[in-house]
């Protein structure tokens, strides 16, 4: 006796959903070979936190891949992108170079996230790097301790304002005065900030490195430390979380704008 085999139910094809936007982490670029390697380690941490997210590194200058090349490749792939500046404050690169690069990539849907900036996650990373270097001082020395927050510097007043906010947040966390200082384009310099703290009776002075990776500016700042100098932020876990936070906020803002336009 022959048994008929029931016909198989046809499978309904499911159309793939839209691919998530690529996170393009944008570093400045450096002649120091440790800089690119450090940023690659940071992005490995980002990928661990968000498996499946397409994460790519690009540079404004000096290192490959350059930002223009990365955006051209994404446009050719039909991808969307969120550019996350691996920079600590607004400045010419964030307000001019990144939007100009997006505008020069025809057919690419992209948005620029805020710089890493004054955020508790950044302060966590700064404090941890100081702790690794030997902070806090002894109880007696703590009354005469202070910190210089060394940053790149910019002529854009928004950059200085953001760095001062970072210094204020770090000072609240550490319980000592924190004075911002700059490697270029702004005042005070690190030696001037050290002198200002010393004039206030603060002689146990540490330098906090408000840089994402090793380089000339970070090395110069550390060389002026009267006591200890923290390492650059590098692949700190809190910094990886902050990169994702800036990416997510940029996407959420774009979605909100799209809904507003659709409602008009």
């Amino acid at each position: 006796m022959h048994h008929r085999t029931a016909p198989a139910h046809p499978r309904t094809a499911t159309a793939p959903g839209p691919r998530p936007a690529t996170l393009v982490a944008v570093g400045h670029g450096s002649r120091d070979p440790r800089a690119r390697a450090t940023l690659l380690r940071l992005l490995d941490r980002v990928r661990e936190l968000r498996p499946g997210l397409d994460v790519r590194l690009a540079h404004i200058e000096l290192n490959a891949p350059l930002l223009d090349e990365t955006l051209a490749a994404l446009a050719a792939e039909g991808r969307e992108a969120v550019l996350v500046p691996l920079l600590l404050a607004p400045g010419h690169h964030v307000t001019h170079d990144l939007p100009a690069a997006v505008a020069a990539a025809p057919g690419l849907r992209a948005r620029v996230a805020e710089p890493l900036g004054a955020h508790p996650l950044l302060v966590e990373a700064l404090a941890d790097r100081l702790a690794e270097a030997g902070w806090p001082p002894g109880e007696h020395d703590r009354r005469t301790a202070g910190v210089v927050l060394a940053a790149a510097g910019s002529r854009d007043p928004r950059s200085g304002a953001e760095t001062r906010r970072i210094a204020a947040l770090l000072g609240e966390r550490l319980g000592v005065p924190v004075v911002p200082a700059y490697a270029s384009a702004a005042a005070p310099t690190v030696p001037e900030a050290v002198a200002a703290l010393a004039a206030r009776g603060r002689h146990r002075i540490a330098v906090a490195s408000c840089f994402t990776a090793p380089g000339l500016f970070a090395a110069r700042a550390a060389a002026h430390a009267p006591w200890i100098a923290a390492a650059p932020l590098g692949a700190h876990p809190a910094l990886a979380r902050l990169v994702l936070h800036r990416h997510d906020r940029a996407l959420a803002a774009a979605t909100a704008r799209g809904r507003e336009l659709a409602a008009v």
Side-chain angles (χ1 to χ4, degrees), residues 189-228:
T189 64
V190 172
E192 289 169 346
V194 167
L197 280 170
R200 295 163 57 182
R202 300 282 174 168
H203 302 287
R204 196 73 158 161
I205 301 171
V207 172
S209 185
C210 202
F211 301 98
T212 52
L216 180 62
F217 285 170
R220 283 179 178 172
H224 291 298
W227 174 37
I228 58 172

Side-chain angles (χ1 to χ4, degrees), residues 126-137 206-209 225 227-232:
L126 287 166
D128 280 358
R129 291 293 185 234
L130 280 169
E132 292 165 3
W135 186 274
V207 172
S209 185
W227 174 37
I228 58 172

Side-chain angles (χ1 to χ4, degrees), residues 10 22 71 75 82 89 123 139 154 168 202 227 257:
T22 296
L71 297 185
V82 176
V123 175
E139 193 58 40
S154 169
R202 300 282 174 168
W227 174 37
R257 283 195 298 271

Side-chain angles (χ1 to χ4, degrees), residues 63-154:
N63 294 126
L66 291 171
L67 179 58
D68 292 347
E69 297 166 354
T70 299
L71 297 185
L74 288 169
E77 295 170 27
R79 301 296 297 254
E80 294 184 37
V82 176
L83 279 59
V84 179
L86 298 180
L87 304 168
L88 282 302
H92 187 76
H93 293 312
V94 174
T95 60
H96 178 268
D97 291 345
L98 270 60
V102 169
L108 176 68
R109 292 181 60 189
R111 55 195 59 87
V112 179
E114 296 175 6
L116 300 177
H119 190 279
L121 287 169
L122 179 65
V123 175
E124 179 183 335
L126 287 166
D128 280 358
R129 291 293 185 234
L130 280 169
E132 292 165 3
W135 186 274
E139 193 58 40
H140 174 73
D141 292 331
R142 194 178 184 86
R143 293 192 295 271
T144 59
V147 173
V148 172
L149 179 72
S154 169

